Amino acid sequence: MNTHRFFVEKIRFHLKEKNKLVFVGWFFDGSTQNHNLEAFFGGEKLPLQLQVNRGAEIRQKYLGSIHEIIEEVVGIITLPRSWREGGRLCLFSSYKGKRGRAYTISAGKMKRLETEISYYIENYYRENGMTKISGWCMGEGEVTLALVSEKGEQFPQRTTRYYRKDLRGIYPECEEEIKPGFLLEGETAEGDALYLEMRSAKQAAKVRLRKWQEGTSPQNKLCFATKTAEDAMRYFRRNGLSATLFKVSGKLRNREGISYDWWRKKYAVTPEELQEQRKQHFPIRPLFSIIVPAYKTNPIYLRKLLSSVLEQTYAGWELCIAQAESPELIPVLEEYVKKDGRIRYCTLERNEGISANTNAALDMARGDFIVLADHDDIIAANALYEFAAAINQDVTIDVLYSDEDKISMDGRKYFEPHFKPDFNPDLLCSFNYICHLFAVKREVLLRAGQFDGQYDGAQDLDFILRCTEQAKNIYHVPRILYHWRCHPDSTASNPESKRYAFEAGRRAVQMHYERLGIPARVEHAQFYGMYRTRYLWKDTPLVSIIIPNKDHRADLETCIDSILTKSEYRNFEIVVVENNSVEPETFAYYKRLTQEQEKVKVIYYEGGFNYSKINNFGVAAASGAYLLLLNNDTEMMTGDCITELLGYCMREDVGVVGSKLLYEDDTIQHAGVVLGFGGTAGHAFIGKSRYDTGYFGRLICAQDYSAVTAACMMTKRSVFEQVGGFTEALAVAFNDVDYCLKVRRAGKLVVYNPYAELRHYESKSRGYEDSPEKVERFNGEVEVLLSYWREWIEKGDPYYNPNLTLDNSDFSLRK
């Protein structure tokens, strides 16, 4: 690969300052390290300011590229005042002395560029004479929008403008008062060709909207409305011929994995199964009260919801609807009330907000369980049957929730299935993964309280948190029982339009900690709707860092230096457990280290390599109330690593905390352990980029897992002693999995914290499982693990999902 090459993704004029060009791009090796950029016009070198954007958002933005792009460059070039007289702008990139031309543009093209408006259309949808378009546009000054016909006639429209945080990286001059995001709603004639006109004082753009069949699904957010063959050429220029052919063939042969359409055909409930469910008579027949607030609902979608309730195979339900300021819904509601007396509704004098409206519907409920549904979604026909079946299996269940997917506006396309873990309190504090379908026992609701209007926008997260606090038995049904209708103006497609909702969610999680008496500060994470918890414990207990070591002096020195020089948390001791080193430089380093660092001591273990025995030996010599078990081939990347681990570990309900471990090439080595991977247990998301987000954000969210690796594992000494430390029959492999399962059996949580990041130069000290003796030993330890935990492993990991594959670690669909 030509590592010096630089690709210009976009170039435009500065929105506020004259004679300044702004470009966005990236180097072909994905990083800016050892790279340089220079700009020339007619042989004259120009002033060039560079800004580097990095992080998960950048990796996510360029997932479609074959290159591992982790850093994006934004450059601002100051042009000479005479540039309009003619000439060419050239951008040169260089890498370690090798230089090449990256981009060229003539003065004539730049003149045309001056008159262009930058825009991006994320969603376009037409149905029943209404058109909705969402996206963003940027120009010099205010940009007005108009929805027009082919003849230029403007349609009646309503436009909502909002700030877009996600544009700040590539539009550094964009301040919060500038609102580039838009949602345009217009009344249009059926079948007409539609255009979107965008105009500022000096710029204009007019784009023909792609012609969709009436009522088709929203346009994919990653595509422009005017997508043409130019996109293929653009991908070709960026990635080369082989990558382009691979991309095309992958699309044709579905190289990206099993399609959800295929999965639904194979695993979705059949009409025959539904018919059998209708014949089922349960000994326990709970009454489910389905609660629906309705406000300005499209009557078509309300009918879909009502029909989905009528189609339930379990008959023990009632539907309670509170409608506000929607007189057009009365005929529909009356029609369905006449069809089935289990449907009831009330009319509110005015819209009091979603929480108050939901509470009005709650006041109507008489059921044993309360079920929440939105006014335009669809409940699967077997939903209440599955809930009733679970309750008949276990009458102590207080709360139930299911998996869900999304459905297009026309109801033809099902997509984005969310196969969830069993109850995962730390994941729930990272984002509302429970969402739909959710049911709570009446007694629990009475203790938790109704919906609270101060959390409108995230009222469901607040309500779910309060209910789960009060519940003793929370049950997850691993089936798709709810279809969430995806609107062009929904929070998912237009996150900036509902920032208030994400702030309400942050406050809801904050109040959750306050009710539990846990000192914490909740912050917005890098993506909207995700939250990060920072614990604010007053105590600073002693942390004993246990590091087994055999030679590899340089690795050990890197590990210890990263702790001594980077760690912001200073109340720690380091216990190096020497085992069978033979190199003189190792012992010389021990001597120098203990002389210079009073926090470090070296103890000597005698006997063959047994990771469990070595760590148990190290713990016996340690003084701390908290133990950080650490491999000698790791390196802390940030100063808050110990603080992050300790924050979770100091919670009463937590027994173990693990970290995110990265290979040298910034790919994932560890992000939690899933039971069943590889037949026993394996690491989640192994080999994925550090900047990937994972399945529904699970790579970047704090959450509970069945186990984490002991390459970096913090645990309480009290818990370590309670469960008997490491099982010494497991000398090398699976001792950490076994330990975590013992901790879970003792009633404590095992937490993965992605904000504690380390590099792991795996197996440098011990070598690989490549000899017959080592393979035999490994197989023997598999048998030992299974002898202890076979039932747990075969039952399936509660923090995974039986609908996801065990064949690889990327959380893809099960074949």
Side-chain angles (χ1 to χ4, degrees):
M1 180 173 63
N2 295 321
T3 52
H4 70 282
R5 292 184 63 190
F6 182 81
F7 182 81
V8 176
E9 189 80 24
K10 183 174 181 59
I11 191 164
R12 61 177 177 84
F13 274 86
H14 199 282
L15 298 177
K16 295 182 177 181
E17 300 181 29
K18 293 183 177 181
N19 299 323
K20 285 194 175 183
L21 274 179
V22 182
F23 66 86
V24 179
W26 41 267
F27 290 98
F28 268 54
D29 64 355
S31 172
T32 58
Q33 190 172 2
N34 298 318
H35 288 282
N36 188 40
L37 289 171
E38 296 175 301
F40 292 84
F41 190 89
E44 176 189 353
K45 187 174 181 179
L46 303 179
L48 173 59
Q49 298 173 265
L50 296 177
Q51 168 187 304
V52 178
N53 299 328
R54 54 176 63 88
E57 298 97 329
I58 301 304
R59 179 68 191 111
Q60 192 72 4
K61 177 179 178 181
Y62 292 109
L63 282 179
S65 173
I66 197 170
H67 303 287
E68 293 288 330
I69 300 168
I70 60 175
E71 294 181 329
E72 175 185 74
V73 179
V74 179
I76 301 178
I77 302 170
T78 302
L79 296 169
R81 293 183 179 180
S82 59
W83 69 265
R84 291 180 181 82
E85 297 175 6
R88 301 179 73 83
L89 171 73
C90 293
L91 186 67
F92 289 90
S93 62
S94 57
Y95 177 77
K96 293 183 178 180
K98 190 173 182 179
R99 186 169 181 262
R101 182 176 297 179
Y103 186 80
T104 302
I105 184 172
S106 66
K109 286 186 177 180
M110 286 194 289
K111 289 179 186 179
R112 293 194 292 274
L113 198 62
E114 267 191 307
T115 65
E116 292 182 2
I117 289 177
S118 297
Y119 67 91
Y120 192 74
I121 296 175
E122 293 169 322
N123 286 296
Y124 163 47
Y125 176 70
R126 298 179 71 175
E127 185 176 59
N128 298 325
M130 288 297 298
T131 295
K132 289 187 178 182
I133 311 167
S134 63
W136 59 263
C137 59
M138 286 278 203
E140 187 177 339
E142 183 180 358
V143 179
T144 60
L145 302 171
L147 188 61
V148 300
S149 68
E150 195 166 11
K151 296 179 180 179
E153 300 167 336
Q154 184 170 343
F155 294 102
Q157 68 182 52
R158 181 180 68 183
T159 305
T160 304
R161 304 299 295 264
Y162 49 89
Y163 178 65
R164 290 285 297 252
K165 179 183 177 183
D166 57 320
L167 298 180
R168 192 163 50 191
I170 57 175
Y171 286 86
E173 71 270 39
C174 179
E175 299 170 352
E176 289 210 22
E177 60 267 22
I178 299 176
K179 298 181 177 180
F182 66 82
L183 170 63
L184 188 150
E185 302 170 276
E187 300 176 12
T188 57
E190 302 291 336
D192 282 355
L194 296 180
Y195 294 81
L196 180 64
E197 283 189 346
M198 295 163 276
R199 293 185 180 276
S200 65
K202 299 179 181 178
Q203 301 163 308
K206 182 177 180 180
V207 56
R208 179 170 181 170
L209 300 170
R210 181 186 290 181
K211 186 174 181 180
W212 294 86
Q213 293 179 350
E214 303 302 311
T216 54
S217 60
Q219 182 171 309
N220 187 295
K221 290 165 64 178
L222 298 178
C223 300
F224 284 103
T226 56
K227 199 169 183 71
T228 67
E230 292 178 3
D231 292 329
M233 288 303 298
R234 192 161 177 265
Y235 189 88
F236 168 75
R237 291 197 303 271
R238 284 167 48 169
N239 302 295
L241 178 61
S242 61
T244 304
L245 292 175
F246 180 86
K247 183 80 170 177
V248 172
S249 64
K251 289 289 186 182
L252 292 175
R253 292 181 284 137
N254 195 24
R255 288 286 296 275
E256 296 177 359
I258 300 172
S259 75
Y260 184 48
D261 288 339
W262 180 94
W263 189 94
R264 275 179 50 81
K265 290 176 183 177
K266 186 171 179 63
Y267 293 112
V269 63
T270 65
E272 293 77 18
E273 289 171 327
L274 294 175
Q275 191 58 39
E276 287 300 313
Q277 290 177 9
R278 292 186 174 94
K279 299 175 184 178
Q280 177 74 43
H281 295 284
F282 291 113
I284 302 169
R285 293 185 57 77
L287 177 63
F288 294 102
S289 296
I290 304 170
I291 305 304
V292 178
Y295 173 65
K296 297 189 180 302
T297 312
N298 186 323
I300 294 175
Y301 302 141
L302 181 62
R303 285 181 180 276
K304 296 289 188 183
L305 170 68
L306 295 171
S307 296
S308 74
V309 175
L310 288 177
E311 291 169 2
Q312 291 299 304
T313 59
Y314 176 77
W317 58 264
E318 64 174 2
L319 178 58
C320 306
I321 301 175
Q323 74 88 14
E325 298 181 14
S326 306
E328 68 278 6
L329 300 183
I330 301 296
V332 178
L333 292 170
E334 285 292 337
E335 174 188 337
Y336 277 83
V337 167
K338 292 176 182 178
K339 284 183 178 181
D340 197 309
R342 293 172 294 179
I343 299 175
R344 294 180 290 124
Y345 76 94
C346 68
T347 298
L348 307 179
E349 292 184 3
R350 61 182 179 275
N351 177 36
E352 297 284 359
I354 188 160
S355 290
N357 295 356
T358 304
N359 289 338
L362 270 174
D363 291 338
M364 301 166 60
R366 300 172 296 201
D368 305 300
F369 282 81
I370 307 302
V371 182
L372 306 180
D374 289 342
H375 58 177
D376 51 4
D377 295 337
I378 293 176
I379 303 174
N382 58 323
L384 299 183
Y385 172 89
E386 297 291 350
F387 279 9
I391 293 166
N392 273 266
Q393 289 293 318
D394 185 353
V395 296
T396 68
I397 291 174
D398 294 319
V399 165
L400 305 97
Y401 67 94
S402 76
D403 299 337
E404 64 187 303
D405 62 13
K406 292 186 174 67
I407 189 172
S408 60
M409 296 295 285
D410 64 347
R412 299 175 186 173
K413 181 73 174 176
Y414 295 85
F415 56 101
E416 288 187 22
H418 188 185
F419 291 113
K420 309 166 188 177
D422 290 353
F423 184 54
N424 194 321
D426 286 292
L427 186 61
L428 186 58
C429 289
S430 296
F431 76 100
N432 183 7
Y433 83 91
I434 288 180
C435 215
H436 307 296
L437 186 64
F438 179 82
V440 57
K441 187 179 285 186
R442 173 178 290 277
E443 291 85 349
V444 173
L445 183 146
L446 292 175
R447 294 196 299 269
Q450 292 190 333
F451 284 82
D452 189 337
Q454 68 175 316
Y455 299 104
D456 274 2
Q459 72 288 335
D460 50 353
L461 176 56
D462 169 65
F463 181 72
I464 289 171
L465 284 167
R466 287 187 280 115
C467 289
T468 56
E469 290 166 21
Q470 298 295 327
K472 294 181 180 178
N473 187 352
I474 301 168
Y475 185 78
H476 164 227
V477 178
R479 291 178 178 270
I480 300 286
L481 301 182
Y482 194 90
H483 309 296
W484 190 356
R485 199 175 298 276
C486 186
H487 289 270
D489 54 343
S490 69
T491 304
S493 12
N494 183 6
E496 284 285 348
S497 67
K498 295 189 178 179
R499 282 196 294 165
Y500 76 92
F502 304 123
E503 173 58 21
R506 186 200 64 78
R507 290 189 288 106
V509 179
Q510 183 72 57
M511 286 303 298
H512 166 68
Y513 285 117
E514 292 183 19
R515 287 190 297 271
L516 296 180
I518 297 174
R521 182 177 69 250
V522 180
E523 303 173 353
H524 294 287
Q526 62 259 57
F527 292 107
Y528 283 122
M530 292 184 177
Y531 307 103
R532 177 179 182 176
T533 299
R534 295 183 187 268
Y535 292 92
L536 306 175
W537 305 105
K538 291 183 179 179
D539 294 339
T540 55
L542 177 65
V543 175
S544 295
I545 305 172
I546 316 295
I547 307 175
N549 186 70
K550 178 184 178 181
D551 291 321
H552 293 273
R553 192 271 314 159
D555 293 329
L556 178 64
E557 186 171 5
T558 297
C559 175
I560 291 179
D561 282 353
S562 72
I563 301 168
L564 295 174
T565 61
K566 293 179 181 178
S567 180
E568 298 166 0
Y569 190 88
R570 302 307 298 176
N571 191 19
F572 63 81
E573 64 171 1
I574 298 176
V575 180
V576 177
V577 187
E578 154 59 31
N579 63 104
N580 301 309
S581 293
V582 295
E583 297 173 0
E585 65 171 333
T586 302
F587 296 98
Y589 174 65
Y590 290 159
K591 182 177 180 180
R592 175 170 60 84
L593 184 65
T594 52
Q595 289 175 345
E596 296 176 356
Q597 300 291 340
E598 61 180 15
K599 289 179 177 289
V600 181
K601 63 180 177 180
V602 178
I603 62 174
Y604 292 80
Y605 167 83
E606 295 180 0
F609 181 85
N610 183 309
Y611 184 83
S612 295
K613 286 185 178 181
I614 291 168
N615 274 286
N616 290 343
F617 182 75
V619 170
S623 304
Y626 291 84
L627 311 170
L628 176 54
L629 309 180
L630 193 64
N631 276 21
N632 64 342
D633 55 355
T634 60
E635 178 183 4
M636 289 186 179
M637 297 175 64
T638 57
D640 60 354
C641 184
I642 296 178
T643 303
E644 286 289 344
L645 295 170
L646 187 60
Y648 279 94
C649 205
M650 289 180 70
R651 269 181 22 205
E652 179 61 30
D653 59 338
V654 173
V656 171
V657 186
S659 65
K660 180 190 285 185
L661 299 180
L662 303 168
Y663 290 117
E664 290 180 82
D665 62 356
D666 267 352
T667 59
I668 299 297
Q669 190 268 336
H670 170 267
V673 171
V674 173
L675 300 182
F677 282 178
T680 49
H683 292 188
F685 303 111
I686 191 166
K688 293 292 183 182
S689 169
R690 174 188 181 186
Y691 301 99
D692 278 345
T693 58
Y695 183 73
F696 282 87
R698 290 190 63 174
L699 243 176
I700 59 174
C701 287
Q703 65 200 275
D704 307 308
Y705 266 105
S706 285
V708 293
T709 179
C712 177
M713 170 197 288
M714 183 175 285
T715 186
K716 292 183 178 74
R717 173 186 285 277
S718 59
V719 172
F720 190 88
E721 293 173 349
Q722 178 187 351
V723 303
F726 279 87
T727 300
E728 295 182 358
L730 294 166
V732 178
F734 302 119
N735 34 55
D736 44 11
V737 175
D738 171 76
Y739 177 76
C740 288
L741 293 180
K742 291 194 293 185
V743 169
R744 282 189 53 222
R745 187 170 58 190
K748 300 294 186 182
L749 294 172
V750 175
V751 179
Y752 158 69
N753 185 352
Y755 300 106
E757 285 189 316
L758 300 91
R759 294 213 184 277
H760 186 199
Y761 311 103
E762 187 182 26
S763 294
K764 276 188 177 180
S765 300
R766 182 171 50 85
Y768 295 95
E769 310 296 337
D770 53 2
S771 69
E773 295 78 14
K774 289 183 177 180
V775 170
E776 184 177 354
R777 190 264 312 146
F778 177 83
N779 291 335
E781 291 184 335
V782 168
E783 292 180 6
V784 173
L785 181 73
L786 290 175
S787 71
Y788 295 151
W789 303 105
R790 180 181 299 276
E791 184 179 347
W792 284 48
I793 293 171
E794 291 182 352
K795 184 179 178 181
D797 193 320
Y799 298 112
Y800 198 50
N801 189 293
N803 297 292
L804 300 177
T805 185
L806 296 175
D807 293 341
N808 55 56
S809 64
D810 63 357
F811 287 49
S812 54
L813 294 177
R814 193 167 197 158
K815 296 181 182 179

